[in-house]
Amino acid sequence: MRKELKIGIGAVAVVLLAAALYIFYTFDPEVQPVFPKCPFLLATGYECPGCGSQRAIHSLLHLKIGAALKYNAFMVLALPYILLGIYLEYFGGKRRFPSVEKVFFGKWSAVVVLIVIIAFWVGRNLI
């Protein structure tokens, strides 16, 4: 991929992310009807692993960590893992720390992440 194209894609991604963060900061998903409702929750009455993520993002942007954890603890606790993956993939972390990539994003990491997501999904609906 050409360098100019990568820079262009990166710039578009940054603008879209900034717009999304602005919307989540400005509008409260709990009271604004603009935000979509979870189809799994509407169909079954049970929460999916992503339920509460919009409200958690809104709370995090307002530095209300406790509220964010109540809305979706998994999403909040997964953010450092996601940021690590972005750093390794797009900001040269792979070259600097190849062992970190092998440990956190290696062969078995997808299985571990899937097990954690399923455990969270089941656990949040039992409590």
Side-chain angles (χ1 to χ4, degrees):
M1 189 181 291
R2 290 187 7 231
K3 187 176 182 178
E4 294 84 15
L5 183 60
K6 282 185 179 182
I7 291 171
I9 291 171
V12 169
V14 167
V15 168
L16 290 175
L17 178 63
L21 291 175
Y22 173 78
I23 290 168
F24 276 107
Y25 182 84
T26 306
F27 303 104
D28 186 353
E30 196 158 24
V31 296
Q32 297 293 326
V34 189
F35 293 93
K37 305 295 181 215
C38 175
F40 185 81
L41 178 64
L42 293 173
T44 66
Y46 293 106
E47 293 183 329
C48 77
C51 279
S53 293
Q54 295 178 98
R55 291 171 288 164
I57 291 169
H58 177 77
S59 295
L60 281 175
L61 291 172
H62 288 273
L63 303 176
K64 298 177 182 174
I65 309 298
L69 287 167
K70 271 204 273 191
Y71 287 130
N72 191 321
F74 178 76
M75 192 272 314
V76 174
L77 297 174
L79 277 176
Y81 182 76
I82 293 166
L83 293 174
L84 175 63
I86 291 169
Y87 167 72
L88 291 172
E89 188 64 31
Y90 299 106
F91 294 100
K94 265 195 244 191
R95 288 187 309 275
R96 288 186 211 130
F97 306 105
S99 61
V100 171
E101 183 187 25
K102 286 180 184 172
V103 170
F104 288 103
F105 298 95
K107 191 176 184 178
W108 291 98
S109 63
V111 174
V112 172
V113 168
L114 182 61
I115 290 169
V116 170
I117 290 171
I118 292 170
F120 174 72
W121 190 353
V122 171
R124 82 181 317 192
N125 287 297
L126 290 177
I127 297 173

